[in-house]
Amino acid sequence: MTFPVIKSTAYSLVHTPNLLIHQGTTQTEERNKNANSEYLKELPNKLRKFDEVVAYPPNQAYIGGISPEDLSKLEKPWHQNQMNEASRYAKFGEVMPEDEFYGLMAICDTFELVVLEEGFAAKAKEKLAQHPTISKIDLAKLDKGWDKESLEKVLENGAEPLYMKDELVGCVKRGHETDKNLTSHIILENIAAKASAVLALLQLGKNSDVDLEEVDYIIEASEEACGDMNQRGGGNFAKAIGEIAGCKNATGSDVRGFCAAPAHALLNAAALVKAGVFKNVAVVAGGATAKLGMNGKDHMQKELPILEDVLGSFAVMISENDGVNPVIRTDIVGRHTIGAGSSPQAVIKGIVTDPLDGANMGIDQIDKYSVEMQNPEITVPAGAGDVPTANYKMIAALGVKRGDIERKDIPAFVEKHGMPGFAPTQGHIPSGVPYIGHGVSAILNGEIEKAMIIGKGSLFLARMTNQFDGVSFVIDKNTGAAETEADTGKTKELLAKALREVAEKFEN
């Protein structure tokens, strides 16, 4: 049996301190309640500089500058122990500064809703013209800038401002006079998700030997929803992203499932490729401005910098088996079913131990588990604990119950099969997918053979159900059996023969 492969991956971050102040839900809610609160007054003093964000060890792990194993060896707290030789660009992607991102947002806008001050636009274009991937797309939209007087007038009509510190450098206009789903706030939120996804998709093209024009299908898996008053979440982010990135031969659609959406999307991509419907499927997701500074109040109370200051994005290319790259084992898939109940144990059983039982495998036969990879330096001060470690302990506990490991071996299991969390708390971004790039590299380098990617989601957030959600799949070493046209033809021939035999039996 041949399986689809993970051809390449890309991961990028965007440092967005000003979007944090003006777009993050925690801050906008605080501003609505009390615009003169001490939290809002002190907030600018707690924001990190771009160089600090680049040198932050978990961010380097996310973009491939260091491995999760390297991260676990670094002294904590990480925000006080920066990496001296960190680079903006790394193996999987980059950390983009906010001024360049504003320029990218303008490039990704097709309805002239993002407008930049003329001097700022010119500087953004100059920088993006030197960018290793963005320079390859059309930058002409940055040739048109507005004067500040015109920007001020647009703000009076409900546009969302774009600031660099206290300087107004642009704004995002509303998409409709009365439609609440096309307010300037939502338009900005969606364009930021789109632009950060474009950044990852362009990087995917750079990282892969598959040209973006060879992509057949795109699946977008963020937590945003684009639409209007008649179809609030109608989409389609996927085609909008592919249009800017140059995927002219692709179509696509969006998959939604809160934090678990990327895992669902990757399974869909693997199924499409394995079925022979498409040869190259790109799964992509941008970041969520709403979650910038989400735990800012807790961080400030603990005298920490505001660590949730980046938008996360990723892209993964799923392709036909090439005999080299790691495969997605479509025969080892975990799922949290509707009837299973939503206790943590029921979720872990459905998405971890049940699929392993089906494959006659013990939990110790998976070399690495990638669960909810939230950075504990963000979640612990907020009272949510070390989420990845808690998941690993639960997996180990079920392993003890099954007889796979001894109780005394739980700490050793967690250390060997787990890893420290290193992803920003962007909901869908931490859920399983951050390790795929590292896992593929580790498999290709002979360091591990199998990794399980686990996506989990909280469906009750939509007030439609109290259900929890989760799916998982296993990435495995390639056996070297690439799928060829001859294999496909032979399979079809055997299938036709079998169908004829069945038909003949019924006739007789």
Side-chain angles (χ1 to χ4, degrees):
M1 182 184 294
T2 59
F3 299 102
V5 301
I6 299 175
K7 197 78 170 180
S8 59
T9 60
Y11 299 86
S12 288
L13 300 170
V14 183
H15 180 224
T16 51
N18 293 285
L19 289 180
L20 184 157
I21 293 174
H22 299 284
Q23 301 300 320
T25 299
T26 295
Q27 289 69 243
T28 55
E29 287 294 297
E30 182 73 5
R31 195 171 295 112
N32 289 336
K33 294 175 184 176
N34 180 10
N36 296 312
S37 75
E38 291 302 315
Y39 170 67
L40 292 176
K41 290 178 181 178
E42 184 62 20
L43 183 61
N45 300 321
K46 294 295 184 179
L47 298 175
R48 296 186 292 182
K49 297 178 181 178
F50 179 69
D51 290 345
E52 294 174 313
V53 172
V54 170
Y56 186 50
N59 290 347
Q60 283 295 312
Y62 187 81
I63 66 172
I66 58 174
S67 69
E69 291 75 20
D70 292 334
L71 178 64
S72 66
K73 298 172 185 176
L74 296 180
E75 186 177 353
K76 296 180 181 179
W78 290 318
H79 70 273
Q80 292 181 351
N81 293 277
Q82 303 279 292
M83 294 176 60
N84 296 326
E85 299 181 359
S87 172
R88 166 182 170 174
Y89 298 99
K91 182 177 181 179
F92 301 140
E94 68 173 286
V95 182
M96 173 175 273
E98 194 165 35
D99 59 343
E100 293 182 25
F101 185 63
Y102 286 167
L104 182 57
M105 286 174 60
I107 292 168
C108 290
D109 167 39
T110 57
F111 283 84
E112 298 183 353
L113 299 176
V114 178
V115 291
L116 301 178
E117 189 274 327
E118 52 193 351
F120 180 84
K123 291 179 181 178
K125 182 179 180 181
E126 184 179 347
K127 288 186 176 182
L128 292 175
Q130 305 300 317
H131 193 278
T133 59
I134 296 172
S135 59
K136 299 176 182 179
I137 63 177
D138 188 4
L139 306 182
K141 290 179 183 177
L142 297 176
D143 291 332
K144 298 179 181 180
W146 287 26
D147 59 65
K148 288 198 173 182
E149 184 179 349
S150 299
L151 287 176
E152 293 285 357
K153 288 181 179 179
V154 175
L155 288 181
E156 294 174 2
N157 292 322
E160 285 285 314
L162 296 175
Y163 287 106
M164 292 298 293
K165 292 187 177 180
D166 295 326
E167 181 183 4
L168 179 68
V169 298
C171 65
V172 178
K173 297 184 289 183
R174 61 191 177 193
H176 191 273
E177 291 292 323
T178 59
D179 191 338
K180 293 181 181 179
N181 301 284
L182 295 172
T183 63
S184 56
H185 182 90
I186 293 176
I187 292 292
L188 191 157
E189 188 174 79
N190 285 348
I191 289 180
K194 176 183 175 181
S196 52
V198 166
L199 179 64
L201 186 55
L202 288 171
Q203 184 66 43
L204 184 71
K206 183 174 182 292
N207 294 350
S208 176
D209 59 2
V210 176
D211 190 277
L212 291 181
E213 290 189 6
E214 298 178 63
V215 174
D216 305 299
Y217 201 82
I218 303 168
I219 302 177
E220 197 272 350
S222 71
E223 289 186 325
E224 305 302 334
C226 60
D228 67 4
M229 65 180 84
N230 294 312
Q231 53 271 312
R232 287 189 295 270
N236 180 312
F237 270 108
K239 293 191 78 170
I241 292 163
E243 176 187 23
I244 301 297
C247 302
K248 64 181 184 181
N249 295 309
T251 185
S253 60
D254 303 343
V255 166
R256 292 295 176 265
F258 283 99
C259 301
H264 283 290
L266 285 160
L267 281 175
N268 284 337
L272 287 169
V273 173
K274 183 171 174 56
V277 179
F278 300 114
K279 291 184 177 181
N280 299 301
V281 179
V283 175
V284 64
T289 55
K291 294 185 177 178
L292 291 168
M294 185 167 53
N295 295 294
K297 292 183 178 180
D298 293 307
H299 292 168
M300 192 177 290
Q301 289 176 358
K302 303 291 193 306
E303 298 185 353
L304 297 169
I306 306 301
L307 298 172
E308 294 166 305
D309 54 2
V310 292
L311 295 176
S313 64
F314 74 88
V316 180
M317 185 82 75
I318 308 299
S319 302
E320 291 179 320
N321 199 314
D322 58 8
V324 177
N325 284 293
V327 301
I328 291 181
R329 291 285 300 272
T330 54
D331 60 335
I332 309 178
V333 173
R335 58 199 178 105
H336 174 255
T337 59
I338 291 172
S342 291
S343 70
Q345 294 84 355
V347 174
I348 292 294
K349 180 179 181 295
I351 60 181
V352 177
T353 57
D354 283 353
L356 293 181
D357 283 342
N360 196 28
M361 296 172 62
I363 65 164
D364 53 345
Q365 290 179 264
I366 299 294
D367 298 301
K368 287 290 182 180
Y369 290 89
S370 181
V371 285
E372 299 165 284
M373 299 310 300
Q374 285 98 334
N375 175 0
E377 202 155 82
I378 295 174
T379 57
V380 171
D386 186 333
V387 179
T389 298
N391 276 283
Y392 294 134
K393 287 181 178 179
M394 193 174 300
I395 293 171
L398 284 177
V400 172
K401 187 176 180 180
R402 288 157 45 95
D404 292 339
I405 63 173
E406 299 291 332
R407 182 173 296 276
K408 63 180 178 60
D409 295 327
I410 289 180
F413 176 90
V414 172
E415 182 176 356
K416 180 179 179 182
H417 299 274
M419 68 194 85
F422 56 87
T425 48
Q426 290 264 295
H428 59 295
I429 296 295
S431 192
V433 296
Y435 180 68
I436 293 177
H438 291 291
V440 167
S441 295
I443 291 172
L444 290 174
N445 293 334
E447 298 164 9
I448 66 172
E449 288 193 1
K450 294 179 177 64
M452 178 176 279
I453 307 302
I454 301 167
K456 295 166 66 179
S458 307
L459 302 186
F460 55 83
L461 295 169
R463 306 300 192 268
M464 292 291 106
T465 176
N466 282 319
Q467 285 276 319
F468 209 79
D469 186 34
V471 290
S472 68
F473 57 88
V474 170
I475 301 173
D476 203 352
K477 179 181 178 181
N478 201 315
T479 61
E483 188 170 18
T484 66
E485 291 187 12
D487 294 333
T488 305
K490 185 64 176 177
T491 300
K492 290 180 178 178
E493 182 182 332
L494 291 172
L495 179 60
K497 182 180 178 182
L499 290 173
R500 284 196 300 272
E501 291 176 351
V502 170
E504 289 173 358
K505 288 180 179 179
F506 276 108
E507 289 174 358
N508 295 330

